Amino acid sequence: MERVENHPYTWHRANLITALVATLASPAASSHLLPILKRWLTAPRPEPSATMWALRDLPIADEEAAKHLLWGLRHPSDEVKLNAAGALARRLGGQPHVVPPLVALTETGPSSSTQATAIHALGEGWPDAPETGRLIEWGRHQSSTALRLVALNLVFKAAEPRDSSAFRAEERTWLLSMLYHEDYSWGPWPAADLVAACAVGNTEAADFALETLKTNGRTGGDRGLAWHLACTVFADDARFKGWVAEQLASKDEHSLILYNLGAVPKQWCDDPVFAQALRPRLQNDLAKLASFGSAGLATALPPDQATTVLLRGLDGMRPYGVARVLADKYGGNETVREVLTGRLRGPYKQAAPLAGVAVDVLGPEEGFAVLVSLLRQPAGAGRNQERVVVAEAVAEAWTRLTTTADEFGAGAAASVLASYDPAELAALCTAVEPHPLTWHVDAVINAWPSQPAVQDFAEQLIADIRTLTSGIPDTIPVAILRSYCTQDDATSRDLCAKVWAQLGHVEPELREVLTFELTRSALTLDELVEVLSEWEKEPDSEVRRIAFIGLVQAIKRHQKTHDQTAGTDVITDQMQWLVQKIKANLCAYGPDLDDLRQLAWTGMLMLGDITLIDGITERIGESRPVAVTLTKLPEGAIDQILVDLIAEHWDRLRQYFGDDLYQRLDRSSGDRTRSDADSRHDVMAALATTAARFPSIAEILRHEADTDPKLREDPNFLLWAKQENRGDETVLRALAGKLGATRHSWANQVLEAVLDRDSWAVPDDTFKAVLTDDARTDPSGARRYNRAKLAAYVELFPNDAVSSTAFRNLEAWFQDDETHRAPREWDDTLALALALAPPQDLPVIFLRVHERFRHARMTHLLPTLLNPLMRRLRRDAIAVDAFKTAVREPMGIAQQTPLFEIEADPIAQQWPDMVPAQRAYLFALALRQAGALPHHEVAAVMQTLTSISPDIVVDNPFTEWQGPLRLAVLDLLHG
């Protein structure tokens, strides 16, 4: 079990999980394993960044904190890793027993980001340890952006003076290059200040940063970095201040929407001309959302103008920040105080949004009385948002007053506290719905942790995933831990144990393996239901799907066995539970509503009981029968399991729902612009994926195509029609017309169908005509082809004259001046290059494009590189030989081709000994994935690679993983 949790190699961990689940047939093993397996599966709160950071000073045993923080270093989220590393250094820095596990993580990963965060922890907490200096030096020259930035940041922070002289020449060049490439994302890793240090006094960088801002990044520059430089090291350059002032004065209110105006340097705001340009923008912003940043920036205006702008902002949508700035900065202004006082003493609608400043403006006694009066208002008195603001203000004020009373003894604070019943206030605050806003939760738990209402509130929130919002820190577990981890009563211990239990899950891919194995295991049904009981809260859709379908199958089998012994009149407890879950999720809401509704329909059809949907209507908006969508996010693929079940039960569904069935299967029918015919079309298009397996559906589609011309153009219908009509010309023409519609995808069924030459009963000349007959001749006499069709053409007919011309044109395009080039798309450009380039040029093309695509913002393009490369290697033995030669002699590959030339990595150039292993690994991996590297050759390659240097960091573009070579070579065994 320790190896499952800590071993760096995922395949090995998956195999261990399979072996462990197989032991569940033993009662002794089962009783010991089940709690652990459930902990591995329980991941309702998947982004514990805030909890990791809180562990820096949470009053628990160091050993317990270290266990959770080391787990955090292996978490899939880089933000979680960095917070864990920072907290580990803060809490345990200098303690020598922590160094070995951190050093082990830098050696084995399991990924380069884990290696980077381990070095970050060492550098922050153990800067003088011998291992720290060695690992920082090692990280400085690895190909991983995370490792480089972490190492260079530690070097920078330790330098005196703290400027670009801390870096080597090649490091300065590399850091500055980040300004020029927005697609070379650095994620959460420290980059901005390092780039800024290297940009000081660099006029070329200043010119490019300004151009990037002015052109909105059309030259490829990083807009975020350009803005950071403008507001820091280039703040004295009047051109930046002038450009920002122009944007502020423009009529386009979105002109600076990408940038944080709160970062504008004070020296700009001190300029009266700039301040006047800033005023209308702030006035407009504060009249709308009234963000804290804009409210704070208003203080840059002269006091009379600032108060005028801020007072107008009190009527904005969320005037909380405005009220706070007015109370803190301008509370002595008579007009400001009069307005704030008047509103706080006024009706609920005016007073509630200003609840956060009530005690500051009115004083403890009257201010708290106003807050309690607002809190006691009935739920319908205002929006939930105002109720949340009031509850937060009451709880924060109670905590402030308690602290004051504790510090100074009896007085106004103590008198105020004695006037109110904490049980009543706790009950009223916890009655405020924490969905969708949770602003009050932390303050309420902190104010009255011993109140039963708050304890019940906390327990409910631990299991409530509705409070989670992507991109917003999940602070509820932190509030619970801070309030209860020092208490010794049973309730407090239980609450903390439930929070800690959410920090032991394994990664999604391992949860998927574990769930699948559990549904096939020797567990009793009760045990299976218990261990998978959190399936609805599982954040990964595939894990959730495997768990639910496995539960349906198991419960269905159990009910069938029960029926044979007790008769069909009695429904088992497990079946009743399942039916309740299905009914609830037929009308699911929230971010996962489509997935949960699809699973509910899947379960309903697997049980064969369509009546489960009876009487269930939408609870939000117009009351109408609940519906489901047949496609899955994010790429809109068909939910094939559900669609197959619909096809299997089609006759019953049509009989039960009649013509309403199409709206039932098209949740977007809530869109009033869609007609019944649109819904029918989409359902039929989805059903086309099942027609080859369900003759009755095929017959329906034939009739439907006669009345719905659009259906005959749908890709799913055409893919079925290809089989139906044995690949005739009509279908080929229709499918060819769909080429290019699906891009940047690992699975492009239309393209694969067109490229399957043997499946088409069409002569070559006809095939070529289909792909080229819409070409046109431009004024220069050159032929212009549809690029997607031409990409397919050259793969099918690489030796044809059209293909030869296309390749010459491609080479000429790359040799032309960049400023004169017509734009090209990655997918068709790579398809041409990889289909037509001479075999000896393929390795370097692969390297060059991979170097671009391995960066975080470019990985979505990897299919456009790897799919055509795999097709070439699977059909071209000479290309395979070129790659095998490249594995043996990675530095001897041909590099003369002009295609996809790229600037050399300045750091890698200074460490040439690493390059051969990195190249050889990529070439061997491509061969293995193409099925062109037999097992006996794999062993030799692995031995060669690991003998060079197992510590080198490499990339696996097929899995988008980056980590040490010692782990990467194992992937060659599983190609």
Side-chain angles (χ1 to χ4, degrees), residues 654-960:
R654 282 285 287 136
Q655 182 179 9
Y656 196 79
F657 292 112
D659 288 339
D660 289 343
L661 176 59
Y662 300 104
Q663 283 72 42
R664 291 278 197 166
L665 300 177
D666 181 27
R667 196 180 67 79
S668 59
S669 59
D671 180 356
R672 296 184 182 278
T673 64
R674 289 178 58 81
S675 65
D676 291 348
D678 292 330
S679 298
R680 185 179 184 116
H681 166 84
D682 287 350
V683 172
M684 286 297 158
L687 284 173
T689 62
T690 72
R693 300 185 301 282
F694 294 93
S696 60
I697 298 297
E699 188 61 31
I700 292 170
L701 286 172
R702 293 186 192 99
H703 291 295
E704 198 74 20
D706 292 336
T707 58
D708 182 3
K710 282 176 56 182
L711 183 61
R712 296 195 294 270
E713 300 173 6
D714 182 87
N716 290 328
F717 180 88
L718 291 171
L719 290 169
W720 166 69
K722 178 191 174 187
Q723 301 177 51
E724 183 84 350
N725 297 283
R726 300 182 181 178
D728 67 10
E729 180 184 345
T730 303
V731 178
L732 175 60
R733 286 188 177 278
L735 266 179
K738 301 298 177 183
L739 290 170
T742 304
R743 301 162 63 187
H744 309 167
S745 171
W746 288 108
N748 187 334
Q749 290 180 292
V750 171
L751 177 59
E752 295 294 342
V754 171
L755 293 179
D756 185 4
R757 180 66 186 89
D758 293 339
S759 67
W760 294 101
V762 175
D764 280 357
D765 289 345
T766 303
F767 212 125
K768 292 177 181 180
V770 167
L771 295 174
T772 60
D773 58 9
D774 59 351
R776 57 183 177 80
T777 304
D778 67 14
S780 69
R783 294 283 285 167
R784 301 296 180 190
Y785 299 93
N786 175 290
R787 287 183 172 177
K789 290 183 180 180
L790 181 61
Y793 187 105
V794 300
E795 286 206 49
L796 289 163
F797 309 107
N799 299 318
D800 185 270
V802 170
S803 299
S804 299
T805 301
F807 188 67
R808 287 196 300 272
N809 292 340
L810 183 64
E811 287 186 309
W813 186 87
F814 276 103
Q815 290 168 331
D816 197 4
D817 188 300
E818 286 189 30
T819 59
H820 298 139
R821 293 178 183 171
R824 298 189 68 105
E825 298 292 340
W826 278 109
D827 51 355
D828 52 75
T829 302
L830 280 166
L832 261 65
L834 293 168
L836 300 174
Q840 68 271 16
D841 290 338
L842 290 175
V844 76
I845 290 174
F846 177 39
L847 287 180
R848 290 172 179 176
V849 180
H850 171 261
E851 179 59 29
R852 293 176 183 270
F853 288 180
R854 71 185 185 89
H855 298 283
R857 291 182 184 168
M858 298 289 282
T859 54
H860 66 286
L861 291 171
L862 281 169
T864 66
L865 166 66
L866 300 176
N867 284 343
L869 177 62
M870 292 298 99
R871 291 194 292 268
R872 177 75 181 268
L873 290 174
R874 286 166 182 155
R875 69 170 183 264
D876 186 345
I878 301 177
V880 168
D881 289 340
F883 266 74
K884 288 187 175 182
T885 300
V887 172
R888 293 190 300 271
E889 303 174 23
M891 303 308 292
I893 60 173
Q895 303 191 56
Q896 291 78 21
T897 178
L899 272 59
F900 306 102
E901 286 185 329
I902 190 171
E903 294 179 16
D905 179 347
I907 294 178
Q909 284 184 307
Q910 298 302 312
W911 298 88
D913 291 346
M914 298 193 307
V915 177
Q918 291 170 329
R919 289 186 176 185
Y921 171 72
L922 277 174
F923 298 145
L925 186 65
L927 288 169
R928 186 66 176 146
Q929 290 292 324
L933 192 66
H935 251 291
H936 68 277
E937 295 183 27
V938 168
V941 171
M942 289 177 63
Q943 183 176 1
T944 301
L945 288 174
T946 52
S947 67
I948 298 174
S949 176
D951 296 327
I952 292 173
V953 170
V954 296
D955 293 83
N956 183 334
F958 295 92
T959 59
E960 298 181 26

Side-chain angles (χ1 to χ4, degrees), residues 549-761:
I549 292 175
L551 283 168
V552 174
Q553 291 170 331
I555 293 172
K556 187 178 176 182
R557 285 194 304 268
H558 180 261
Q559 181 70 52
K560 184 176 179 180
T561 302
H562 182 273
D563 291 347
Q564 292 170 352
T565 58
T568 59
D569 295 334
V570 180
I571 300 177
T572 64
D573 291 343
Q574 295 88 349
M575 181 61 75
Q576 291 182 40
W577 172 83
L578 177 61
V579 166
Q580 183 272 327
K581 290 293 184 183
I582 289 173
K583 286 186 172 183
N585 285 302
L586 284 168
C587 191
Y589 289 104
D592 296 318
L593 75 90
D594 282 331
D595 190 60
L596 289 171
R597 290 191 183 199
Q598 287 166 352
L599 289 178
W601 270 78
T602 298
M604 179 178 72
L605 293 176
M606 288 175 69
L607 295 181
D609 187 358
I610 305 172
T611 65
L612 295 182
I613 204 171
D614 287 354
I616 302 177
T617 58
E618 298 287 357
R619 301 191 306 272
I620 297 177
E622 180 185 349
S623 179
R624 61 186 186 279
V626 290
V628 69
T629 182
L630 302 182
T631 56
K632 295 170 63 177
L633 297 175
E635 296 182 355
I638 297 295
D639 181 348
Q640 202 61 61
I641 294 175
L642 175 56
V643 173
D644 282 355
L645 284 166
I646 289 170
E648 182 182 341
H649 293 84
W650 182 255
D651 291 340
R652 289 183 58 206
L653 288 166
R654 282 285 287 136
Q655 182 179 9
Y656 196 79
F657 292 112
D659 288 339
D660 289 343
L661 176 59
Y662 300 104
Q663 283 72 42
R664 291 278 197 166
L665 300 177
D666 181 27
R667 196 180 67 79
S668 59
S669 59
D671 180 356
R672 296 184 182 278
T673 64
R674 289 178 58 81
S675 65
D676 291 348
D678 292 330
S679 298
R680 185 179 184 116
H681 166 84
D682 287 350
V683 172
M684 286 297 158
L687 284 173
T689 62
T690 72
R693 300 185 301 282
F694 294 93
S696 60
I697 298 297
E699 188 61 31
I700 292 170
L701 286 172
R702 293 186 192 99
H703 291 295
E704 198 74 20
D706 292 336
T707 58
D708 182 3
K710 282 176 56 182
L711 183 61
R712 296 195 294 270
E713 300 173 6
D714 182 87
N716 290 328
F717 180 88
L718 291 171
L719 290 169
W720 166 69
K722 178 191 174 187
Q723 301 177 51
E724 183 84 350
N725 297 283
R726 300 182 181 178
D728 67 10
E729 180 184 345
T730 303
V731 178
L732 175 60
R733 286 188 177 278
L735 266 179
K738 301 298 177 183
L739 290 170
T742 304
R743 301 162 63 187
H744 309 167
S745 171
W746 288 108
N748 187 334
Q749 290 180 292
V750 171
L751 177 59
E752 295 294 342
V754 171
L755 293 179
D756 185 4
R757 180 66 186 89
D758 293 339
S759 67
W760 294 101

Side-chain angles (χ1 to χ4, degrees), residues 64 85 108 221 227 239 258 312 356 364 384 417 453 511 579 650 776 883 887 933:
E64 184 75 5
T108 62
W227 178 257
R239 296 178 299 168
L258 294 177
R312 288 178 182 174
N384 182 65
L417 293 173
R511 298 202 301 274
V579 166
W650 182 255
R776 57 183 177 80
F883 266 74
V887 172
L933 192 66

